[in-house]
Amino acid sequence: MRDRTPIARHGRLRSPHPVSQVVSMVAVAVLVGIAAVTGVVGFHVWDAATAIRDNAVDIGGDDAALPPGIGEIEGGVNLLLVGTDSCEGQDLALFPRCGIDDDGGERNDVTMLVHISDEPRRVTVVSIPRDTYVEVPECEDDEGRTRGGGIEKINASYMHGGLACSVATVEALTGEEIQFAAAIRWTGVINLSDAVGGVDVCVQGDISDRHTGLALSAGTHTLQGVQALQFLRIRHGIGDGSDLGRISNQQQFMSALVRKLQSDAVFGDPATLLGFASTALQQVRDKQLVLDTRLANPNLMVQIAMALKDVPFEDIVFVQYPTYYSGDGLRPITDAADALFAALRENRPLQLTGDASGGFGVEVTGEAPPATPPTETVPEDAAPAEDAVPEETAPDAAVPSDEAVALPSQIPGQTAAQVTCTVPEG
């Protein structure tokens, strides 16, 4: 196993930016919320670290001490975020099935691999459909029993061995090493969406789903709490009624969340920031939010936050892992997936050529304005600074190409710069 230790980058710190530029998607928002309180507000540091550490889980890999300074993480990293269907700690009034047919199992109904590139910073979120048949490696459950070890739907991985098993499964599927991981349960989503004050979403027509209980009229709605969770879970009543439509619905929500966070509506407001981070810590204590042992470090959270603070909307890309229908589930389209992960390893910009949704769940309706004004350009005839390093004598480094990679059309998705709207079923 390769060394997974992140390195602080002290020589590349940029000019101070608002804390609102810190996050790029919901998983990172959770981490940065905790980090912002410990690193910016300046109290609860050890209380937060203890709460997180005591509830962390081991996903394997080498543990090594982080550097004491706070700087950007160096190199590309991968973070796995899963959303589980556990009934543990849930309100039976909101989730009555937990009191009727709870089998005690916990599955990862949402599985997202978040890739954070090295310079230039880009973020790609790969959603893997829950019904995708993959090779689940042998995993050890809480009672020490060996489970898995065959072809199953990916959402069985968490049931077989928790967060560590889901990490091993996604690593085997993608060929990528995952350094960090987190899992969130239903109540955690409800409370965190409340803490950010809701997210604006769009629906093109009236939608209604008796399975989740969500009913929305055509137009724009600010969703938080239970409604936010319902929107993230809905598939009946939108698109083709499949999990693929639900994934694109989730991507609409996450894109809107990114834009809200970078608009200073959350992390530019100290009171909202404090409330969000305190809520996140409480979810850790209540076991509604689980972090791996390496991620359970406020210093590392700040490092990740600093690396993400300036990522532009067009470089935050949400894609669906490519699949095709076969029998009662989905099978990977490996050639298309290989093209995606090769582009990520080379840190190339991504050009989406497929539809916004694999299940006709959303349509692109517009373009969001950038969160910050464009960087001022230097006139071509301006004299170089005396200490500038000529391009031809600059230190040798692997500079990624700026030429975008056109992804295969089997890979649906959107960027955070694209405004999308949910399409009713039918």
Side-chain angles (χ1 to χ4, degrees):
M1 186 73 70
R2 297 191 300 275
D3 184 9
R4 297 177 171 179
T5 307
I7 305 298
R9 173 182 290 141
H10 298 284
R12 296 190 182 181
L13 297 182
R14 299 178 177 85
S15 301
H17 268 259
V19 182
S20 63
Q21 302 302 310
V22 167
V23 293
S24 65
M25 42 71 69
V26 67
V28 179
V30 171
L31 308 179
V32 174
I34 301 169
V37 168
T38 59
V40 178
V41 180
F43 78 110
H44 282 337
V45 176
W46 298 115
D47 180 52
T50 300
I52 297 170
R53 184 175 59 248
D54 289 349
N55 291 284
V57 298
D58 185 8
I59 64 169
D62 299 326
D63 288 329
L66 287 166
I70 295 177
E72 293 184 14
I73 53 170
E74 184 170 292
V77 297
N78 293 308
L79 182 151
L80 186 72
L81 174 68
V82 303
T84 74
D85 65 356
S86 172
C87 283
E88 183 179 345
Q90 311 305 327
D91 185 343
L92 293 182
L94 297 177
F95 307 102
R97 76 108 167 140
C98 287
I100 300 172
D101 60 355
D102 178 23
D103 61 6
E106 185 170 10
R107 300 163 187 83
N108 47 311
D109 276 351
V110 175
T111 304
M112 295 187 292
L113 178 63
V114 183
H115 176 76
I116 306 168
S117 76
D118 199 6
E119 297 290 350
R121 294 292 184 188
R122 299 184 176 97
V123 178
T124 306
V125 183
V126 184
S127 294
I128 306 173
R130 67 174 189 174
D131 293 330
T132 306
Y133 279 102
V134 300
E135 178 73 32
V136 178
E138 290 188 349
C139 300
E140 190 173 287
D141 66 13
D142 291 339
E143 298 179 4
R145 298 172 300 184
T146 299
R147 303 180 60 175
I151 301 296
E152 296 185 72
K153 291 182 178 180
I154 194 168
N155 73 337
S157 62
Y158 202 94
M159 181 173 61
H160 288 328
L163 193 55
C165 192
S166 291
V167 166
T169 300
V170 175
E171 286 185 332
L173 173 67
T174 65
E176 299 297 302
E177 183 180 39
I178 296 172
Q179 288 80 17
F180 313 113
I184 190 165
R185 292 169 171 167
W186 291 331
T187 297
V189 174
I190 291 172
N191 291 332
L192 287 171
S193 65
D194 269 338
V196 299
V199 174
D200 291 338
V201 300
C202 164
V203 293
Q204 289 189 349
D206 297 351
I207 61 174
S208 179
D209 175 31
R210 64 181 178 83
H211 297 276
T212 62
L214 180 66
L216 295 175
S217 59
T220 301
H221 301 266
T222 301
L223 303 183
Q224 63 187 88
V226 174
Q227 274 197 323
L229 177 65
Q230 291 171 328
F231 188 81
L232 291 168
R233 295 181 63 213
I234 190 174
R235 66 182 177 92
H236 301 285
I238 66 170
D240 63 2
S242 72
D243 186 50
L244 305 186
R246 169 163 48 197
I247 285 175
S248 57
N249 213 46
Q250 294 166 350
Q251 291 173 342
Q252 183 204 164
F253 185 94
M254 291 186 292
S255 294
L257 175 61
V258 167
R259 295 191 294 268
K260 177 168 186 175
L261 294 174
Q262 292 202 4
S263 70
D264 290 343
V266 177
F267 289 101
D269 181 345
T272 303
L273 171 62
L274 177 58
F276 179 81
S278 298
T279 299
L281 286 174
Q282 189 59 50
Q283 303 320 296
V284 173
R285 294 189 180 97
D286 293 343
K287 301 186 185 301
Q288 296 300 306
L289 173 63
V290 178
L291 308 177
D292 80 81
T293 51
R294 290 178 56 81
L295 194 56
N297 185 311
N299 189 19
L300 173 60
M301 294 177 191
V302 173
Q303 290 179 338
I304 292 176
M306 293 181 71
L308 296 173
K309 68 181 183 296
D310 293 320
V311 180
F313 292 160
E314 62 268 21
D315 286 332
I316 301 171
V317 183
F318 300 92
V319 296
Q320 175 193 300
Y321 186 94
T323 58
Y324 67 95
Y325 281 103
S326 176
D328 65 341
L330 300 163
R331 305 283 175 173
I333 303 177
T334 54
D335 289 348
D338 289 345
L340 167 64
F341 289 107
L344 296 184
R345 284 191 292 272
E346 295 172 3
N347 194 12
R348 302 275 292 279
L350 302 180
Q351 177 185 346
L352 297 170
T353 66
D355 295 330
S357 172
F360 311 105
V362 301
E363 290 183 355
V364 178
T365 59
E367 195 83 7
T372 56
T375 303
E376 183 178 353
T377 57
V378 179
E380 292 183 1
D381 58 352
E386 292 183 3
D387 58 350
V389 179
E391 184 175 349
E392 63 273 15
T393 61
D396 186 23
V399 179
S401 170
D402 286 334
E403 183 179 353
V405 173
L407 295 179
S409 60
Q410 300 101 320
I411 302 178
Q414 70 167 93
T415 71
Q418 293 175 306
V419 178
T420 55
C421 198
T422 299
V423 178
E425 188 172 11

